[in-house]
Amino acid sequence: MRRLLLVALVATTAGAQTSRSDPTDLQAWYGGSLRLDLPDRWRASAEYRLRMVDNAQQVRGSYLTLGASRRVAGPLRLLSSYRLALVDNGTFHRIAAGAEAERDVGTLTLGLRGLVQYQKQNFTDNDETSSDEDTFVRARLEVSRRLSRRVDLYASSEPYLAFGADHLVDNWRNTVGTKLELAKGRKLNLFYIYRPDYAKATYNRTFHVIGVDLDWTVKVGGGKAGAPR
């Protein structure tokens, strides 16, 4: 906890938007999600997130993600999602598809997820519109442990790979967090993300993110309760 507070303090005093001389920023993410466990091994989800940047003082934008998945064999589940991001410098459209699997190992649960992500951003400036496109391969390894009936801890590491770019690893998202069960089907997710970013051609950036999400899971029909993170 002391180390986390120190990181937040250093990032807060470091300045506003990242630059070569000041490449560190503290961000705050606030969100909520609705997850539906559906019949025939289907799941669906909707998530909204508000992101604050520049030392958590400025609104970056709103992010709405819609997802669907289906378990196909044993622990293997196929995933797909679409995200609309309305941010300060334009509009992002992102689609992703992949697979994930989980396995219990003693008191731990190990999860592996792979995604192919395509993203297009439309920029609007002085009544002129342009666009930028990126494709990433994301590979996430997650470890979680249930401390009690109402408390779960988790940690994950997820590099974003950009094949053909100047840097193979575009950025790297490392997360630690806890989920607290408030009531049946409702959890409060508190997390911290350490994300080094190598996408800039002339300097590297580092983002520290502190986030709060309210997760609501609903069982519909013959669905099985308990949606993945």
Side-chain angles (χ1 to χ4, degrees):
M1 180 60 70
R2 291 181 179 177
R3 184 174 297 177
L4 178 58
L5 292 176
L6 179 60
V7 166
L9 179 61
V10 170
T12 301
T13 57
Q17 284 192 341
T18 57
S19 64
R20 176 190 286 272
S21 61
D22 184 14
T24 302
D25 189 32
L26 173 68
Q27 302 183 359
W29 295 1
Y30 308 100
S33 64
L34 172 63
R35 306 173 192 271
L36 303 178
D37 283 326
L38 304 170
D40 197 25
R41 298 175 291 181
W42 281 95
R43 286 174 178 162
S45 63
E47 178 186 83
Y48 171 79
R49 179 165 284 165
L50 176 71
R51 295 187 182 182
M52 306 286 293
V53 298
D54 296 348
N55 296 323
Q57 297 176 357
Q58 301 292 329
V59 175
R60 165 64 170 163
S62 295
Y63 299 72
L64 176 63
T65 304
L66 303 176
S69 68
R70 188 176 189 273
R71 185 166 58 85
V72 292
L76 182 63
R77 179 171 290 274
L78 299 182
L79 313 169
S80 63
S81 65
Y82 164 75
R83 191 186 76 175
L84 172 65
L86 304 174
V87 297
D88 51 8
N89 65 334
T91 301
F92 287 84
H93 300 277
R94 190 183 79 182
I95 57 174
E100 70 175 0
E102 289 186 347
R103 181 175 182 178
D104 292 332
V105 179
T107 60
L108 302 177
T109 298
L110 302 182
L112 182 63
R113 187 184 74 178
L115 291 175
V116 177
Q117 171 184 300
Y118 169 78
Q119 180 170 275
K120 181 176 182 180
Q121 181 180 11
N122 295 323
F123 301 94
T124 302
D125 186 22
N126 296 328
D127 297 325
E128 295 183 2
T129 301
S130 60
S131 64
D132 183 30
E133 300 179 5
D134 295 294
T135 300
F136 301 106
V137 175
R138 301 168 54 174
R140 186 184 73 183
L141 176 63
E142 181 175 274
V143 180
S144 61
R145 187 176 189 273
R146 171 153 290 188
L147 294 185
S148 67
R149 188 172 65 88
R150 294 184 178 275
V151 180
D152 293 299
L153 297 179
Y154 65 93
S156 66
S157 184
E158 183 177 27
Y160 288 48
L161 307 178
F163 294 97
D166 293 336
H167 301 279
L168 175 61
V169 179
D170 182 90
N171 66 91
W172 201 311
R173 180 179 294 190
N174 302 283
T175 307
V176 293
T178 181
K179 286 198 170 186
L180 310 174
E181 185 176 3
L182 305 178
K184 184 176 181 180
R186 276 175 279 183
K187 291 185 177 182
L188 184 65
N189 182 19
L190 308 173
F191 59 90
Y192 163 73
I193 298 174
Y194 169 71
R195 184 168 74 88
D197 188 332
Y198 312 106
K200 290 289 185 181
T202 56
Y203 68 96
N204 297 330
R205 300 182 295 182
T206 302
F207 299 99
H208 302 279
V209 181
I210 298 176
V212 179
D213 282 336
L214 180 61
D215 299 336
W216 186 20
T217 301
V218 178
K219 179 180 177 181
V220 179
K224 182 178 179 182
R229 295 184 182 90

